[in-house]
Amino acid sequence: NDSINNLNVGIYTVTTSSNGCLFTDSIEITEPTVLNTSNIITNVSCNGGNNGSITFNINGGIMAYEINIAGVNQNLAAGLTSFTTPSNLSAGSYPYTISDANGCLFIDTAYVLESIAISLVENITSVSCFGGVDGSIDLSISGGTGSFNFMWSTADTTEDISNLSIGTYTYTITDSLNCIFSDTVSITEPSPINVSISTTNVSCANGNDGTAILNISGGVFPYIENWGLSSSLNLDANNHTFIVTDDN
């Protein structure tokens, strides 16, 4: 047979004869190098974002190359061995196929990652008494990347703030990748302590059977009445001072 097919790479020797004369020659069958790619992945900078990208640096095989990623075909112009996706990828897996001019295939999956989301717990201390300024907000932060910068609606730049009155406070946290987390916290206060007094006058001169019953509202229950050395159920005819203290 003057031809053979389906050969592997290697050196093949052929001998022909004519009129008793022999002719011998060697033929080398070659193959292209293995089709492959080295990828440069730009991960999504902030959790939930979509600014990732993948650069494919193709080597081996036979130019020209065609790449199919996420269902989109891209033919590389003659001589080009690199292709970068648009910078709008979100985190996830991206299967791709690269084919060369001989129809050889390289199939793999590229993975675009994203940073860990900033998360936190807000530890809130409300104002203890009506009109007070002892409220505070303590932030416990996890996630994010690197160090954090803080900006409060009070112009404070610390992680935690204190000496707060009743109101609404907004903060913004920025990590080293410029990822941002914002939230609003409300500081509350109890209503003012109100006291209405029901009194019973002393029945006889120099007696001490007068009474004063306090009807207390507001503040934080329970309440403590302090009449000093007196008892609200055994009062003489006089002016009597009392102090009401709530649970705060």
Side-chain angles (χ1 to χ4, degrees), residues 64-223:
Y65 303 113
E66 178 181 350
I67 185 168
N68 180 297
I69 180 170
V72 177
N73 283 318
Q74 178 68 43
N75 291 302
L76 274 63
L80 293 183
T81 60
S82 180
F83 169 71
T84 300
T85 67
S87 297
N88 61 359
L89 302 182
S90 56
S93 58
Y94 293 87
Y96 64 90
T97 300
I98 297 173
S99 59
D100 68 2
N102 284 348
C104 300
L105 300 178
F106 179 84
I107 301 173
D108 202 357
T109 300
Y111 297 90
V112 176
L113 306 179
E114 63 184 349
S115 61
I116 301 173
I118 298 173
S119 61
L120 51 83
V121 175
E122 299 167 343
N123 301 298
I124 302 170
T125 301
S126 294
V127 174
S128 58
C129 298
F130 180 81
V133 288
D134 60 349
S136 65
I137 305 171
D138 181 356
L139 303 181
S140 299
I141 305 173
S142 61
T145 302
S147 59
F148 302 99
N149 291 321
F150 303 89
M151 178 55 68
W152 291 86
S153 54
T154 58
D156 288 295
T157 57
T158 55
E159 178 175 337
D160 309 317
I161 55 175
S162 57
N163 301 321
L164 304 178
S165 60
I166 184 175
T168 299
Y169 299 87
T170 299
Y171 64 87
T172 299
I173 302 173
T174 307
D175 70 8
S176 60
L177 294 179
N178 288 322
C179 302
I180 295 174
F181 180 91
S182 296
D183 200 9
T184 297
V185 180
S186 293
I187 295 291
T188 62
E189 68 177 0
S191 57
I193 297 176
N194 293 308
V195 179
S196 62
I197 308 173
S198 299
T199 60
T200 302
N201 291 324
V202 175
S203 59
C204 298
N206 298 320
N208 65 346
D209 61 347
T211 63
I213 305 300
L214 305 184
N215 298 303
I216 308 170
S217 62
V220 178
F221 185 82
Y223 310 107

Side-chain angles (χ1 to χ4, degrees), residues 224-236:
I224 297 175
E225 298 180 23
N226 184 347
W227 289 86
L229 299 177
S230 302
S231 168
S232 63
L233 300 179
N234 300 104
L235 300 176
D236 58 10

Side-chain angles (χ1 to χ4, degrees), residues 49-69:
N50 60 346
N51 62 342
S53 66
I54 307 170
T55 296
F56 298 90
N57 295 307
I58 307 170
N59 54 77
I62 302 295
M63 297 181 187
Y65 303 113
E66 178 181 350
I67 185 168
N68 180 297
I69 180 170

